[in-house]
Amino acid sequence: MSIAIKDISKPNMHADDPLSDFTQHLINLNDVDKIVHVSGSGSAVIVMTEMPGISPHVARFARRVLDAGFKVYMPSLFGRDGIVVSAEEDAAVFQKACVSAEFHAFVGHKGSSPVTLWLRTLARPAHEECGGPGVGAIGLCFTGHFALSMMLDKTALAPVVAHPSLPLDDPAGTGMDAADLRTVRDRLESEDLTVMAYRFDGHSFCRAQSFAAFSEALGEHFVTRVLPDSAANQNTAPLLSAMSKLRIA
């Protein structure tokens, strides 16, 4: 008698991920082309990558969203998709994004990052394709508050803001202008919606001041969860070390 043994080994987070269970789509919106990795079924959730791109860790998180019963749209915003990068490449991707016109990384820029307009536009065909009440949006670190900016489009209903880090040089900044925040607050109150916001207590770029600013702007519909640093996954590639040592003037 043969016994089938299910492989329950954990994926190797230190090896490149081919993303073979996702389908690549080249999507043109607002005259801008971007690759979007799509997989799953159910209501649409747009997963926005953290630095330095769609790493194996980001892909694993996206698959957890899939397993929860959603269809994931994962746009390629920077870096090389599925690749485990060196600390040097990590720093190079980070620095390139900081000076890119798509991302308002510093307080000198006003308003939401221009890339959020592309992401809001992506939510519309995603909603048409998947149906349901609306689209979920998850922003991670460098893209953290992008999920909140997406609430400027009526198709976005469920934003999750994970340790939003922009602007990098203002711990109390939100990365959004006051008028946009008022518009988002009006939606949250009139439609009784909730923003879920998470950060680690000792996060280098997402400080308590940032959450305080969001809470003041958005009121009780901005629901925060502060996690102890001891809850962080320690089994990660050392690719963020260079970023953590950058000095922001």
Side-chain angles (χ1 to χ4, degrees):
M1 181 178 65
S2 62
I3 299 175
I5 299 176
K6 184 178 180 180
D7 182 5
I8 60 172
S9 60
K10 294 182 179 179
N12 184 357
M13 294 294 100
H14 303 284
D16 294 347
D17 188 325
L19 304 174
S20 55
D21 49 336
F22 289 84
T23 301
Q24 284 191 16
H25 298 270
L26 179 63
I27 298 179
N28 180 283
L29 300 170
N30 306 326
D31 294 324
V32 176
D33 289 329
K34 290 189 183 297
I35 293 290
V36 180
H37 301 270
V38 181
S39 187
S41 60
S43 297
V45 176
I46 297 175
V47 175
M48 291 161 276
T49 182
E50 62 180 342
M51 280 290 167
I54 301 175
S55 67
H57 288 86
V58 172
R60 178 178 62 175
F61 172 76
R63 291 183 181 106
R64 289 176 174 171
V65 177
L66 291 174
D67 291 343
F70 298 98
K71 184 168 185 174
V72 167
Y73 292 75
M74 187 166 53
S76 178
L77 301 177
F78 36 72
R80 296 190 293 148
D81 300 345
I83 302 299
V84 175
V85 303
S86 65
E88 291 76 14
E89 183 175 347
D90 181 6
V93 171
F94 178 65
Q95 291 168 342
K96 182 178 180 180
C98 285
V99 300
S100 169
E102 282 197 301
F103 306 101
H104 288 173
F106 298 102
V107 74
H109 296 286
K110 300 298 181 183
S112 301
S113 297
V115 72
T116 60
L117 176 59
W118 194 96
L119 293 165
R120 296 202 303 268
T121 307
L122 173 64
R124 298 169 198 168
H127 185 220
E128 290 175 3
E129 182 176 334
C130 298
V135 174
I138 302 173
L140 303 172
C141 198
F142 195 86
T143 64
H145 77 274
F146 293 2
L148 188 57
S149 295
M150 290 183 65
M151 292 294 290
L152 296 170
D153 191 280
K154 287 291 186 179
T155 57
L157 288 181
V160 178
V161 179
H163 40 88
S165 300
L166 302 186
L168 296 169
D169 54 345
D170 182 8
T174 64
M176 298 177 64
D177 64 35
D180 286 348
L181 284 168
R182 283 194 297 271
T183 299
V184 172
R185 180 167 183 157
D186 288 345
R187 274 204 70 196
L188 296 174
E189 293 178 347
S190 64
E191 300 177 40
D192 193 24
L193 302 175
T194 297
V195 180
M196 294 302 301
Y198 299 86
R199 72 177 183 89
F200 283 105
D201 189 39
H203 193 278
S204 299
F205 293 118
C206 182
R207 310 288 181 83
Q209 299 98 305
S210 172
F211 271 29
F214 278 120
S215 293
E216 181 178 358
L218 301 176
E220 63 183 11
H221 291 267
F222 186 78
V223 179
T224 64
R225 298 287 187 270
V226 180
L227 306 176
D229 294 338
S230 59
N233 180 10
Q234 301 300 318
N235 184 30
T236 59
L239 50 82
L240 295 178
S241 60
M243 186 174 120
S244 67
K245 296 176 183 176
L246 288 176
R247 296 178 61 85
I248 305 300

